[in-house]
């Protein structure tokens, strides 16, 4: 398990950032996050074109699974399932 905070943030889609071991990476994959290998490491994101509501559902589920495995997670309130963005 990692000691650093895993952040699930909104970019072009929802992305997970921070130090991750293989279990955290597998949990994200189980909730729909796609792994992309880059020169800087592994990038985790939800598929593009899902829509904000579905991204929030997947981000909330990922957050719950990571917390259940005792990972420190930050999920902004606007990314919680059932919360509609303003504007």
């Amino acid at each position: 398990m990692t000691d650093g905070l895993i952040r699930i943030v909104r970019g072009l889609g929802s992305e997970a950032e921070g130090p991750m071991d293989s279990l955290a990476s597998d949990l994200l994959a189980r909730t729909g996050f796609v792994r992309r290998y880059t020169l800087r490491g592994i990038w985790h994101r939800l598929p593009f074109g899902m829509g904000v509501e579905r991204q929030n559902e997947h981000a909330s589920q990922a957050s719950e699974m990571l917390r259940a495995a005792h990972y420190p997670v930050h999920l902004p309130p606007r990314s919680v399932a059932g919360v509609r963005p303003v504007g």
Side-chain angles (χ1 to χ4, degrees), residues 13-85:
S14 289
E15 302 174 1
E17 302 174 337
M20 285 181 234
D21 57 15
S22 61
L23 176 59
S25 185
D26 288 345
L27 291 172
L28 287 167
R30 289 191 66 97
T31 58
F33 280 75
V34 178
R35 284 181 243 195
R36 294 289 181 244
Y37 297 89
T38 68
L39 295 174
R40 298 171 72 192
I42 301 173
W43 178 41
H44 298 84
R45 66 166 177 80
L46 287 171
F48 296 121
M50 288 182 75
V52 172
E53 213 169 293
R54 284 194 63 215
Q55 286 180 4
N56 287 350
E57 290 172 9
H58 286 266
S60 292
Q61 185 180 18
S63 167
E64 290 170 11
M65 288 180 75
L66 289 164
R67 285 186 181 125
H70 302 284
Y71 287 95
V73 179
H74 173 70
L75 179 66
R78 68 186 175 122
S79 297
V80 175
V83 175
R84 294 187 176 262

